Structures are given as C-alpha cells and as structure tokens.
Amino acid sequence: MPQVPQTFFDALAVRTWCGLALRALGRAREEIDAINVYPVADGDTGTNLYLTMESAVAAVEAVFDGHGTLTEQKPPLADAAHAMAHGALIGARGNSGTILAQLLRGMAQVLAADGETAHTDGEGLRLALRHAADSARQAVAHPVEGTVLSVASAAADAAGDTEGDCGTVARAAYDGACAALAATPGQLAVLERAGVVDAGGRGLVAVLAALVETFTREAPVFGGHARVEAVSASGAPGVDDVLLCEDDPTAPQEGGPAYEVIYLLEAEDTAVTRLRDRLDALGDSLVVVGGDGLWNVHVHVDDAGAAVEAGVEAGRPYRIRITHFGLGDVHTTGAERPPRERAQRAVVAVVPGEGLAGLYGEAGATTVLARPGEPPASGELVAALRRAHAREVVLLPNDADLRHTAAAAAEQARAEGIRVALIPTRSAVQGIAALAVHEPGRRFDEDVVSMTSAAGATRYAEVAVAERQSWTMAGICQAGDVLGLVDGDVAVIGADVTATARAVLDRMLAAGGELVTLVLGDEAPESVADVLEVHVRESYLAVDTVVYRGGRQGALLLIGVE
C-alpha cells in the first residue's frame, strides 16, 4: 500500500486511509475489546471494528485490481468511495461495526457526489465528516451520548470550525474526537463505573488517526488507552489522563435482551421504515444502515425468531447471524459456557457454496462459506479455527487469493496455542482430495504430508462467465463469454458451457488421470454433468467420475482431475 501523503481526496487517498485504518484497528483491537462494556459487555468491539474495516479494504482493493486490468490509471474517486462504503456495509459486525459502516457510507456520499465542485479538498472533508456523523446518528433508533456517536459529532464539529487543507481538517477532527472520547465516562454511567472510555469511540479515534496519517504522513500518538485512572484539574478525564490497566472489564449487565441479531437485507425504503418500527418494539440497540435497496440490520432482542421474521416480511434477509449473549460467541471468554474437552485434530475449510459446505461437513470438517464476491476475512477464519475446538487443525483455504488471509489467521491461532498446518489448496476440488486421505489417528505431520500430496496431485479447473472484456492467456474475451480456466489461467474461451467444459476436460486428461470430480453450481445447465460423464466413459478408459452439487458457488462448474 502506498505510504505517501495526500494533498486532496482521490481514489488513492481512500485506499491509503482504509489500509492505515485497518492497521491501526489491528494494533488497538485487544485494547478496545478489553474496555467493551456498552451496550453489552461481550468483549468484541475492537474485533468487530477490525472485521468491518477489513471488508472495506478488500472491496477497495478489488476496485483497484479490476481497474488495473484495463488501464494503468487509478480508478475514479467515486468508484473507490462507493466500494469502501459497500464493503463496510456487507461486512459490518456488531453494533460498533454497523455504525462504522454508516460513518463510511456518509463520507462516501459526499466524496462521490456529482456536481460542478468536487468534494476533494479541505472543505469537502469537512462536509463529509459532518454528513457521516449526522447519518450515523439517524441510523440509530435511540442515540445515546457518551458513545461513538458523540465522538463522531465532536470530530465533525471540530473540523467544521477549521480552515485549511485536508491534513489540517483531519487533524482538527482527530483532536476533537480525542477530547470527546475522554469525556465519555462523564456522559455514560456504565463507563464511569467501569472506569473506561467508550470502546466504539476509541475505535473511531484510531480510524481518524489513520486519516491524519493519510494526509500528513505523520501518525498522531493517542495519549491514552483503556481505563481512566485519574482526572484533569477540571475534574473531567482528559486524554492524557487515560491509562491502561490489566484487570477485567465490567461484567455484562443483567436484564438486557438475550440475543444479538444481524443480517443483510434487500428491501425497499418504505419496507425498511416499517421494519425499524417493528424491531424497535421488539428490543434495543437498533441500528439500520445502508440504502439503495441493501441494508445492514442490527438489533438486540429476546425473540430472535421474531426479528428475523420481521426481516422476511420487509424483504430478503441473508447472512443472518444470531449470538446468544449468555453463551457468548467466538470473541468472548466463554467463561459461562460449559467446558468441553478439545478434540485432538480437526479440519477447517473454506468452501464456495452451500452444497460443498454440506459435503465437507459430512466428512467432519468445520466450514467457512465464501459467497460469490465476498471472501471471508481473517477474523472469520480465526473464529472457525477456534470453533473447531481442537489442539491440531489443518486449514484448507481452497482459493489462491486467500493465501495471505489464511496465513494471518493461522498465525493468530498459533499465538493462542493451536497447532495449525496451512495446506495451500487453490480450489475446493483440491480440498476434497486432501480431505479424502485425512486420517485423524496418525501423527499430525504424516497426516499433513499426505493431505498436501493429495491436493498437489489434483489439477483444478473451473468454467465461468466473463463479466467484462479483458485480456487473457487465451486471447481477448467479451462480457458473456464462457471461460474455461485451468490451474487459474484462462485456457478456453467459448460460447457454450457444455462444449467449453468438454474442451477443458480434454486438456486436463491429456496429461493422464484416474478420477474426475465435477462440482455443479446452481446456474450450470442440468445436462452438463451427464454429457461430461458419458464423454469421459467413452473417451478415457479406467477414469471414474464423481459429481457433487455445489449450490451458489460463483463458478458454473468446478473440475478436478487426480
């Protein structure tokens, strides 16, 4: 990621800011988790903010990667800003992450606005910060002072009183946010009792520090950490009076709702207005963010089913996540969860569709679903590694683009005492081959070597439809062309799915093989599997074929040859 100061907001500034913010939240994550006492003391605010920003970063990087296939110029500011907002929206986690997503959306709406005057200078940044703070406050059903909303408003107020370039405005916003953060214990009783500042506000300060660094190349040093140990001369806690302590955060408040419910929702504006009213009557901590037909819904309720049913009535809810506060989830200590013995060994695999998730699950693997265009973040992989509850875990990323994400997750799990072996599988069909030879009873190293060998001996391919015109190893493809990719490179460009798949299979079997694995996506022609099975049986002696249903997996067809 470029580490150069920006004098105005452009696509590169968006990219730089998001990357620096992710790093800042990564450094502060554990500290923020430790001071998370409001609205529920579940110790995951820092993690949720990190995962939300990680999704925003991935979306921005995808825009740069896609733009680079056609031109060496950077993408327009509007594209990068919209990607940042959309990535945060679909990846938002928890109350804090949902509000951060709306803050980024508010910023993007100003930065990417059409008009004669581009909102890319200091004045534009002031407007963006103001709109972000106001839209985040409007997204919360019952705004509470002493939270991230107060910190965001103070940042916007300070920026609004400042003249100058983007660096000057960003610094003013950061200073205003720090002062507001230090004042949060005096605004919210639960923070004062715990002796901490607001966790979400602390996360926003880290994000604004990254904004300062983007425009000045100087990272401001936050003058405080987790817990308030002293007060300033005026009697109110100051930024420099906030010190880090090692004792545990306040225990969860009793009497609150039992469940946190989060989902993405495709719905019209009018339906969302009715949904807000219904969810507000069901529980608290209601935050609904988004627009243009896609929303992220967050609420704390006692009746999780009713909250989901309300979403069904409003539109199409998906990526539904329900967390029971009493039992905790992957980010909590689990102190109230009945202890159970760890298994000796487990397999964690990323799979591209519900069908393969069922197949891997039947084989005993813990799965992470990678929906088309939504690769899992490192935090999701870490959560799966923990959920496997084993001393030794084999991790199958099943995607070449996930190698760095998987490596980061494995490293974090190792730091927590889990022995993790990362097998660099590039396709789900390689993962199937590895899982087929997995034997939990033998020595860990021997099992890993055997699984790695099986995966490496499996050539992989996929058949997909081109989304845009681009250059490939097989020539120029047009949007709508059928592409046959072998080992990650385009080898065949065709007009018919079945004919393209047959050509790909012939190329792969020309080098030999004993077993063909076909994984059909929902949009693949019904007849393609039968045609390919007959072709293999008639053209290649002693080669068997096995067919699986992958569901919504992105590619029309996955092919493996062992």
Side-chain angles (χ1 to χ4, degrees), residues 355-522:
L356 283 179
L359 175 66
Y360 274 75
E362 290 174 3
T366 298
T367 60
V368 178
L369 189 61
R371 296 170 178 83
E374 299 177 19
S378 63
E380 293 179 80
L381 298 187
V382 172
L385 291 168
R386 293 170 180 152
R387 192 168 67 248
H389 204 64
R391 299 181 182 87
E392 303 166 339
V393 181
V394 179
L395 177 58
L396 306 173
N398 291 340
D399 187 338
D401 291 336
L402 286 178
R403 60 188 184 280
H404 297 306
T405 302
E411 190 62 29
Q412 182 172 338
R414 291 182 189 116
E416 297 176 7
I418 304 172
R419 189 181 183 188
V420 181
L422 171 60
I423 298 179
T425 48
R426 299 187 174 192
S427 170
V429 292
Q430 288 188 321
I432 292 173
L435 199 56
V437 300
H438 169 55
E439 291 186 14
R442 62 185 165 195
R443 291 178 56 244
F444 185 60
D445 292 340
E446 292 178 355
D447 198 29
V448 171
V449 169
S450 179
M451 294 176 72
T452 302
S453 178
T458 303
R459 299 190 69 196
Y460 64 95
E462 68 177 67
V463 177
V465 176
E467 296 181 357
R468 63 179 69 88
Q469 181 189 50
S470 61
W471 294 86
T472 76
M473 296 291 289
I476 300 175
C477 72
Q478 305 295 329
D481 284 347
V482 180
L483 306 180
L485 295 87
V486 178
D487 294 339
D489 293 324
V490 176
V492 180
I493 299 176
D496 178 74
V497 174
T498 302
T500 302
R502 186 166 52 231
V504 167
L505 199 49
D506 285 339
R507 284 180 179 239
M508 299 177 74
L509 287 172
E514 298 176 354
L515 175 66
V516 172
T517 300
L518 303 176
V519 183
L520 274 66
D522 281 347

Side-chain angles (χ1 to χ4, degrees), residues 35 37-40 142-150 180-200 253:
I35 62 170
V37 299
Y38 182 85
V40 176
H142 301 285
V144 174
E145 299 306 323
T147 65
V148 63
L149 298 178
S150 302
L181 177 65
T184 55
Q187 296 174 287
L188 201 55
V190 64
L191 301 179
E192 185 176 26
R193 287 195 301 269
V196 300
V197 296
D198 179 66
Q253 299 94 334

Side-chain angles (χ1 to χ4, degrees), residues 264-268 271-272 275 308-318:
L264 289 177
L265 177 71
E266 294 178 355
E268 299 295 329
V272 172
L275 175 66
V308 175
E309 289 173 5
V312 172
E313 292 180 5
R316 186 179 80 87
Y318 60 103

Side-chain angles (χ1 to χ4, degrees), residues 143-358:
V144 174
E145 299 306 323
T147 65
V148 63
L149 298 178
S150 302
V151 177
S153 294
D157 291 342
D161 294 335
T162 303
E163 297 290 336
D165 60 13
C166 287
T168 303
V169 172
R171 183 73 205 208
Y174 171 79
D175 290 341
C178 286
L181 177 65
T184 55
Q187 296 174 287
L188 201 55
V190 64
L191 301 179
E192 185 176 26
R193 287 195 301 269
V196 300
V197 296
D198 179 66
R202 173 67 183 92
L204 180 57
V205 165
V207 172
L208 291 174
L211 187 64
V212 175
E213 186 175 359
T214 298
F215 291 110
T216 67
R217 198 187 282 181
E218 296 178 358
V221 179
F222 178 60
H225 297 286
R227 295 181 174 274
V228 178
E229 293 293 325
V231 294
S232 63
S234 64
V239 173
D240 293 332
D241 301 320
V242 185
L243 305 175
L244 177 65
C245 287
E246 298 298 332
D247 44 312
D248 295 331
T250 298
Q253 299 94 334
E254 296 181 357
Y259 298 96
E260 176 185 60
V261 179
I262 306 173
Y263 50 79
L264 289 177
L265 177 71
E266 294 178 355
E268 299 295 329
D269 292 4
T270 53
V272 172
T273 299
R274 294 192 296 271
L275 175 66
R276 290 178 192 269
D277 293 338
R278 182 167 178 186
L279 292 180
D280 193 26
L282 285 175
D284 59 30
S285 297
L286 173 61
V287 186
V288 181
V289 304
D292 302 321
L294 181 62
W295 309 83
N296 192 303
V297 179
H298 169 280
V299 67
H300 294 173
V301 292
D302 282 321
D303 190 344
V308 175
E309 289 173 5
V312 172
E313 292 180 5
R316 186 179 80 87
Y318 60 103
R319 294 190 70 175
I320 300 168
R321 175 172 175 171
I322 299 173
T323 301
H324 191 302
F325 290 127
L327 294 179
D329 75 356
V330 297
H331 303 308
T332 63
T333 61
E336 298 182 21
R337 182 182 297 149
R340 60 187 177 94
E341 183 66 23
R342 284 183 178 272
Q344 181 60 34
R345 190 173 309 158
V347 176
V348 170
V350 179
V351 291
E354 294 85 351
L356 283 179

